[in-house]
């Protein structure tokens, strides 16, 4: 405990280090970015002498020195490599390891064996570090679209992000998806053009692509000195200095004057930067139009204002693999991305009909924290929390607003990939994890004084299913334990039972997503599972209005069943947010109102399985206009059955069609194979919507039915001598052609007959 007195101001601090508590001076502790305000007995004794205004700067300084950032990008753009370098330069790790784990170690943030073997990130990993006296919480996210939920939930709780772009690949399909997610959660961002040391690196081409494809209002804040093999360092356009990165790992930064040969380019790019920022920042625009000289601090403040307001994206450059440009990027995170106090967060007040409440974001308010990610750890369930307001302490009682349960916080930790450091308390703005708290992803916790919930994150629907069963009968317990755990951790991974075949069906975002889970069941639970042929999640819908009038009447001695329902079904217009609507248009009491929910339930149940191929029916509106009831024989069951039979009766008249998931596929193939690949896409009933040239490669964009994309990676390799690559993500469900519909219906009927 350290105290210091300054005139009438008397403050009490406690500084915690991992495991041990050491007494250090306030200045040192601030620099470590690791101080916490302890509401201890000492503090309460001093409360009378310390007004609220005097206490405020304690936490305010710590909040202003905090950054929560995510690193997101397309596959293989270098996110994990960049995070590895950041951890090295900030002193969190003491040696650098490469992503594919060739040295048997692998990158720090890829802690799973599967990640190290495949060289991809599967789970987002959280860590924290300190840089120039600021604390930075970082979440490294996967690039594969199959793990898109990991990016969604990371961006939901972060205040800023780094969008990594490859200087050779440019803006690729997943870059566009990640950028769309950043827009959805209104996250201010920096762009980092990586891999400037590679053959064909062209940062200016990438910058133009970001402006055209991502609609970024952006400009470079750095200019590279040389490119490809000749990449030596960077020019900072704000400070007008050249930086060279020396030492075995680029840890020694040498500042020098700008080389004469690129002075003209630097002057042009600085003017472009000032012009671009002036368009969105009035203060800088006034100085620019008045032809005043713009100082470094003026430009820096204007870039910060425009970035925090999400009107501008500063573009940094470098090569994470070659250890160049990472430290200036970290400086950029501190200079241009917001602290938790500068971001507006909203909660919904459950006591006032979900009225929007702006959270103050300070430790003074009531506790509001969001559980955004769950993991099964060695010591039970590990729940990642983002604290939006208030303070959470070990041993406190917290309330899960979604379930109403009161829980004690048994253990509070800060994560460093798969390692953890015990802490006593954490305040607003921080990302921590708690053990032994049973909850679901997306639950909100408070201290019980308020009933707020945070808005949920966007969870995409699964597009592919597999039948799965354990090979050995004895391993059923471990098998269901694995499925329950993965379902809880990952909202896009669903488990169901096929009522016809009694098989367990797992659904997810793609082949890779499901393959990884099958492999994890084998490795982590020692259960060998056999997998059936992948199934596509088809849907059915109707194309025209159809009337129904059905009387359900049954007499079997004693009380009978009687229920009559009349009305119509019709399609919901395209683009509607709801997939099923039930409209009760009955005037008067021809059907007693207590039977209406049973009728709705009956229609919902009937819509779970369409008569064409037994898949769910969506984009459907049901209007109930009339009916009849019997004083004795009418019951909820009678009306529910009447609704089910009425639906089946009029379904065929509504001209139903089958919808299939269509994927947005982006291919990158050498130009010589363009014709073969395009021909193959047409064979798979795909529609080519774009074809760009990128050096010697062709970039083909197509919409292809998922049903025709199984095993495509093998086919593409053989067509392009292993040089082609592709990514695909779900686009929409759209109607199948008439011949495919006939084929699917006949297959379904044949399988029903065989049973």
């Amino acid at each position: 405990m350290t105290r210091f007195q300054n005139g009438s101001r008397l403050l009490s601090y406690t500084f915690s280090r991992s495991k041990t508590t050491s007494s250090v001076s306030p200045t040192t502790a601030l620099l470590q970015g690791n101080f916490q305000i302890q509401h201890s007995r000492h503090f309460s004794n001093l409360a009378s002498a310390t007004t609220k205004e005097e206490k405020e700067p304690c936490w305010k300084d710590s909040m202003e020195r905090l950054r929560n950032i995510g690193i997101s990008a397309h596959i293989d753009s270098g996110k994990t490599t960049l995070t590895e370098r950041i951890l090295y330069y900030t002193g969190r790790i003491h040696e650098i390891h490469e992503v594919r784990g060739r040295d048997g170690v692998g990158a720090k943030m890829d802690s799973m064996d599967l990640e190290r073997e495949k060289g991809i990130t599967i789970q987002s990993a959280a860590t924290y570090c300190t840089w120039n006296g600021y604390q930075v919480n970082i979440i490294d996210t996967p690039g594969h679209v199959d793990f898109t939920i990991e990016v969604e939930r990371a961006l939901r709780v972060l205040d800023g992000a780094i969008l990594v772009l490859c200087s050779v690949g440019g803006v690729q399909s997943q870059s566009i998806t990640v950028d769309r997610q950043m827009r959805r959660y209104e996250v201010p961002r920096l762009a980092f053009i990586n891999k400037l040391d590679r053959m064909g690196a062209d940062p200016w081409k990438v910058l133009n692509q970001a402006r055209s494809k991502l609609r970024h209002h952006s400009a470079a804040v750095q200019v590279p000195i040389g490119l490809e093999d000749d990449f030596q360092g960077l020019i900072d356009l704000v400070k007008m200095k050249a930086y060279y990165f020396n030492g075995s790992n680029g840890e020694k930064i040498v500042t020098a004057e700008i080389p004469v040969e690129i002075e003209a380019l630097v002057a042009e790019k600085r003017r472009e930067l000032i012009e671009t920022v002036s368009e969105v920042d009035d203060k800088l625009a006034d100085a620019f139009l008045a032809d005043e000289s713009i100082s470094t601090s003026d430009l820096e403040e204007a870039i910060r204002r425009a970035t925090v307001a999400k009107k501008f994206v500063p573009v940094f450059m470098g090569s994470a693999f070659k250890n160049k440009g990472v430290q200036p990027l970290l400086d950029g995170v501190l200079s241009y991305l917001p602290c938790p106090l500068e971001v507006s967060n909203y909660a919904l007040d459950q006591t006032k009909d979900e009225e929007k409440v702006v959270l103050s974001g300070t430790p003074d308010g009531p506790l509001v924290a969001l559980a955004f990610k769950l993991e099964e750890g060695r010591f039970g369930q590990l729940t990642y929390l983002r604290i939006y307001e208030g303070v959470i302490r070990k041993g406190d009682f917290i309330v899960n607003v979604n379930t109403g349960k009161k829980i004690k916080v048994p253990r509070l930790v800060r994560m460093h990939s798969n390692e953890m450091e015990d802490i006593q308390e954490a305040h607003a703005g921080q990302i921590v994890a708690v053990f032994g708290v049973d909850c679901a992803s997306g639950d909100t916790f408070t201290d019980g004084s308020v009933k707020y919930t945070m808005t949920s994150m966007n969870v995409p629907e699964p597009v592919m299913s597999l039948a799965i069963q354990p090979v050995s009968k004895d391993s059923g317990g471990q098998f269901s334990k694995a499925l329950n755990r993965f379902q809880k951790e990952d909202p896009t991974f669903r488990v169901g039972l096929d009522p016809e075949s009694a098989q367990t069906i797992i659904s997810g975002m793609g082949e890779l997503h499901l393959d990884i889970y099958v492999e994890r069941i084998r490795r982590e639970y020692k259960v060998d599972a056999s997998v059936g042929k992948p199934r596509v999640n088809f849907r059915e819908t109707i194309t025209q209005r159809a009337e129904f009038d059905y009387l359900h009447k049954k007499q079997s001695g004693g009380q009978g069943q009687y229920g009559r329902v009349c009305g119509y079904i019709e399609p919901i217009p395209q683009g509607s947010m709801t997939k099923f609507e039930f409209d009760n248009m009955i005037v008067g009491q021809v059907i007693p109102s207590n039977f209406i929910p049973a009728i709705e339930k009956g229609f919902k149940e009937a819509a779970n399985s369409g008569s064409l191929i037994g898949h769910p029916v969506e984009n459907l509106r049901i209007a109930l206009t009339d009916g009849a009831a019997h004083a004795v024989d009418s019951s909820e069951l009678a009306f529910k059955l009447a609704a089910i039979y009425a639906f089946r009766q009029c379904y065929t008249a509504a001209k139903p069609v089958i919808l299939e998931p269509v994927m947005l596929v982006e291919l990158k193939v050498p130009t010589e194979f363009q014709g073969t690949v395009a021909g193959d896409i047409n064979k798979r009933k795909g529609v080519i919507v774009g074809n760009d040239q990128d050096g010697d490669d062709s970039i083909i964009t197509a919409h292809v039915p998922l049903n025709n994309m199984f095993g495509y990676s093998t086919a593409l390799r053989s067509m392009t001598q292993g040089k082609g690559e592709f990514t695909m993500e779900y686009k929409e469900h759209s109607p199948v052609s008439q011949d495919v519909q006939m084929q699917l219906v006949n297959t379904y009927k044949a399988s029903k007959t065989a049973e």
Side-chain angles (χ1 to χ4, degrees):
M1 179 71 69
T2 306
R3 294 193 207 162
F4 63 94
Q5 198 162 351
N6 178 7
S8 65
R9 183 179 283 185
L10 197 58
L11 298 177
S12 158
Y13 285 83
T14 296
F15 309 107
S16 75
R17 299 290 304 274
S18 65
K19 308 279 189 294
T20 60
T21 306
S22 57
S23 295
V24 285
S25 76
T27 324
T28 320
L30 270 174
L31 284 171
Q32 288 164 344
N34 229 356
F35 85 98
Q36 295 168 324
I37 309 156
Q38 189 80 357
H39 293 257
S40 60
R41 286 194 304 275
H42 301 281
F43 203 57
S44 52
N45 294 341
L46 295 168
S48 55
T50 315
T51 64
K52 189 175 181 223
E53 287 74 27
E54 288 174 319
K55 276 196 301 189
E56 191 175 331
C58 310
W59 57 254
K60 199 165 183 196
D61 196 43
S62 121
M63 296 277 285
E64 283 170 356
R65 288 175 169 271
L66 184 61
R67 298 286 181 273
N68 293 317
I69 62 161
I71 298 178
S72 308
H74 186 84
I75 308 153
D76 286 343
S77 296
K79 298 175 293 299
T80 306
T81 306
L82 175 62
T83 315
E84 187 83 354
R85 300 307 188 266
I86 288 174
L87 294 177
Y88 177 75
Y89 295 131
T90 55
R92 289 295 291 140
I93 56 175
H94 302 296
E95 49 187 21
I96 292 173
H97 295 286
E98 295 319 326
V99 168
R100 286 201 184 266
R102 293 187 190 93
D103 53 3
V105 180
K108 177 72 194 170
M109 300 306 278
D110 284 350
S111 56
M112 207 190 286
D113 290 343
L114 263 173
E115 294 181 312
R116 291 177 177 184
E117 281 169 31
K118 293 181 180 286
I120 59 170
T121 303
I122 293 168
Q123 287 189 328
S124 55
T127 185
Y128 67 94
C129 55
T130 41
W131 182 250
N132 291 349
Y134 284 73
Q135 186 174 323
V136 185
N137 290 316
I138 301 170
I139 298 184
D140 173 32
T141 61
H144 280 268
V145 70
D146 289 36
F147 310 111
T148 189
I149 188 66
E150 293 287 340
V151 186
E152 285 278 347
R153 56 180 161 205
L155 292 175
R156 169 69 186 80
V157 298
L158 293 169
D159 305 323
I162 299 172
L163 175 65
V164 184
L165 300 169
C166 172
S167 63
V168 182
V171 173
Q172 292 156 288
S173 61
Q174 195 60 15
S175 319
I176 298 170
T177 305
V178 168
D179 189 71
R180 195 184 309 127
Q181 289 169 322
M182 289 178 184
R183 273 182 214 276
R184 184 183 299 133
Y185 297 112
E186 298 188 342
V187 179
R189 51 205 174 279
L190 313 177
F192 178 66
I193 299 177
N194 194 16
K195 304 191 179 185
L196 290 187
D197 58 302
R198 277 186 54 193
M199 286 290 290
D202 185 352
W204 308 114
K205 174 196 82 176
V206 181
L207 179 57
N208 287 331
Q209 281 183 354
R211 287 169 178 164
S212 59
K213 288 188 181 179
L214 303 176
R215 302 192 307 286
H216 277 183
H217 189 76
S218 59
V221 290
Q222 293 173 334
V223 169
I225 304 169
L227 284 173
E228 300 177 357
D229 292 343
D230 193 33
F231 178 47
Q232 298 159 26
L234 295 162
I235 311 277
D236 186 324
L237 294 177
V238 179
K239 297 189 172 115
M240 291 303 276
K241 291 277 180 219
Y243 296 127
Y244 297 93
F245 305 88
N246 298 342
S248 56
N249 289 319
E251 66 277 9
K252 294 185 187 127
I253 301 178
V254 178
T255 309
E257 291 307 309
I258 296 167
V260 180
E261 63 273 18
I262 55 171
E263 271 180 352
L265 174 69
V266 169
E268 178 202 325
K269 293 295 175 191
R270 187 171 200 263
R271 186 174 175 81
E272 187 183 298
L273 170 65
I274 293 169
E275 275 181 21
T276 312
V277 180
S278 297
E279 287 171 26
V280 289
D281 186 83
D282 296 343
K283 204 169 167 188
L284 190 72
D286 293 343
F288 177 63
L289 293 170
D291 231 7
E292 293 170 18
S293 68
I294 290 164
S295 69
T296 300
S297 60
D298 288 346
L299 183 53
E300 202 168 279
E301 283 165 19
I303 294 173
R304 181 180 179 79
R305 283 193 300 270
T307 307
V308 170
K310 301 176 285 292
K311 292 176 179 173
F312 177 70
V313 180
V315 178
F316 290 78
M317 300 183 185
S319 165
F321 184 65
K322 289 288 167 72
N323 312 311
K324 290 183 170 76
V326 178
Q327 298 97 318
L329 175 66
L330 269 171
D331 291 336
V333 167
L334 307 186
S335 302
Y336 305 134
L337 287 181
C339 73
L341 292 172
E342 292 171 291
V343 179
S344 299
N345 286 302
Y346 300 94
L348 305 173
D349 190 341
Q350 296 303 314
T351 59
K352 294 182 183 169
D353 199 23
E354 299 209 337
E355 186 185 299
K356 258 191 174 186
V357 183
V358 181
L359 297 176
S360 66
T362 68
D364 283 347
L367 171 70
V368 180
L370 175 71
F372 67 94
K373 177 174 160 66
L374 311 178
E375 240 174 55
E376 197 66 35
R378 295 189 298 276
F379 311 106
Q381 184 176 301
L382 182 66
T383 305
Y384 285 78
L385 291 179
R386 160 72 202 259
I387 307 168
Y388 285 98
E389 192 167 276
V391 178
I392 189 168
R393 297 179 193 82
K394 183 182 170 181
D396 271 3
F397 281 95
I398 55 174
V399 175
N400 182 336
V401 181
N402 301 57
T403 63
K405 282 185 188 165
K406 195 174 187 182
I407 309 153
K408 188 175 183 179
V409 179
R411 191 175 170 201
L412 194 61
V413 294
R414 218 161 20 178
M415 297 305 296
H416 176 42
S417 184
N418 59 340
E419 295 168 15
M420 52 199 82
E421 174 195 324
D422 278 286
I423 53 174
Q424 294 305 308
E425 68 169 37
H427 61 67
Q430 291 185 322
I431 291 173
V432 292
V434 290
F435 270 110
V437 172
D438 188 38
C439 67
S441 186
D443 282 359
T444 306
F445 290 96
T446 68
D447 55 10
S449 63
V450 289
K451 211 170 175 192
Y452 291 168
T453 56
M454 301 302 294
T455 50
S456 60
M457 59 200 101
N458 177 59
V459 178
E461 282 294 308
V463 292
M464 188 183 286
S465 304
L466 287 176
I468 183 171
Q469 61 187 52
V471 173
S472 134
K473 292 269 191 303
D474 308 337
S475 49
Q478 284 292 88
F479 178 68
S480 56
K481 199 172 164 187
L483 293 183
N484 285 340
R485 173 195 156 185
F486 296 143
Q487 208 178 348
K488 210 169 180 188
E489 284 181 11
D490 181 351
T492 57
F493 178 74
R494 311 271 171 88
V495 179
L497 197 68
D498 186 339
E500 288 160 16
S501 60
Q503 284 179 307
T504 303
I505 305 290
I506 55 172
S507 307
M509 300 305 295
E511 271 180 293
L512 179 68
H513 191 208
L514 296 175
D515 285 351
I516 292 286
Y517 276 118
V518 172
E519 182 66 13
R520 283 183 68 187
I521 290 169
R522 193 175 66 75
R523 289 188 185 204
E524 294 172 33
Y525 288 87
K526 308 284 184 284
V527 175
D528 273 330
S530 63
V531 174
K533 182 181 176 291
R535 273 190 356 168
V536 172
N537 289 354
F538 290 106
R539 293 282 180 269
E540 295 183 26
T541 191
I542 55 171
T543 54
Q544 67 181 41
R545 177 172 157 154
E547 311 280 334
F548 60 83
D549 181 349
Y550 189 83
L551 170 63
H552 177 66
K553 192 175 175 185
K554 200 172 178 189
Q555 200 68 44
S556 54
Q559 187 184 347
Q561 290 179 7
Y562 185 96
R564 181 180 173 209
V565 288
C566 309
Y568 58 87
I569 61 173
E570 63 180 7
I572 294 176
Q574 278 277 308
S576 169
M577 294 301 284
T578 53
K579 301 200 171 167
F580 178 91
E581 281 178 20
F582 177 77
D583 208 350
N584 176 16
M585 297 168 72
I586 291 180
V587 180
Q589 284 283 318
V590 284
I591 298 177
S593 53
N594 57 318
F595 294 138
I596 301 295
I599 296 172
E600 183 175 354
K601 198 174 174 189
F603 278 118
K604 262 192 181 150
E605 211 169 282
N608 274 338
S609 172
S611 60
L612 290 178
I613 53 168
H615 278 260
V617 183
E618 56 180 41
N619 296 341
L620 172 77
R621 178 173 175 266
I622 293 169
L624 185 64
T625 55
D626 200 0
H630 188 278
V632 179
D633 290 351
S634 284
S635 63
E636 289 193 352
L637 176 65
F639 275 108
K640 185 181 162 186
L641 291 170
I644 291 173
Y645 293 129
F647 182 82
R648 289 179 187 164
Q649 180 197 48
C650 69
Y651 186 61
T652 318
K655 294 261 172 78
V657 293
I658 299 170
L659 302 174
E660 64 180 341
V662 173
M663 309 302 277
L664 171 66
V665 182
E666 186 176 279
L667 301 119
K668 187 174 185 179
V669 296
T671 306
E672 70 224 60
F673 304 114
Q674 183 185 341
T676 320
V677 172
D680 181 69
I681 289 284
N682 290 332
K683 238 188 268 172
R684 292 171 189 269
K685 298 198 165 62
V687 178
I688 294 173
V689 291
N691 194 341
D692 291 327
Q693 207 60 26
D694 180 13
D696 297 336
D697 291 330
S698 281
I699 311 285
I700 300 170
T701 315
H703 297 160
V704 192
L706 174 63
N707 205 24
N708 303 338
M709 286 299 286
F710 291 126
Y712 187 64
S713 47
T714 317
L716 183 66
R717 278 192 205 115
S718 59
M719 277 186 291
T720 60
Q721 297 167 11
K723 295 173 190 167
E725 54 185 64
F726 81 103
T727 57
M728 69 174 181
E729 61 180 289
Y730 169 71
K731 184 179 180 289
E732 63 189 0
H733 269 79
S734 67
V736 300
S737 58
Q738 201 55 44
D739 58 323
V740 174
Q741 178 150 326
M742 287 299 295
Q743 195 183 330
L744 288 167
V745 171
N746 292 338
T747 312
Y748 177 69
K749 280 181 182 163
S751 69
K752 292 289 276 184
T753 317
E755 284 167 23

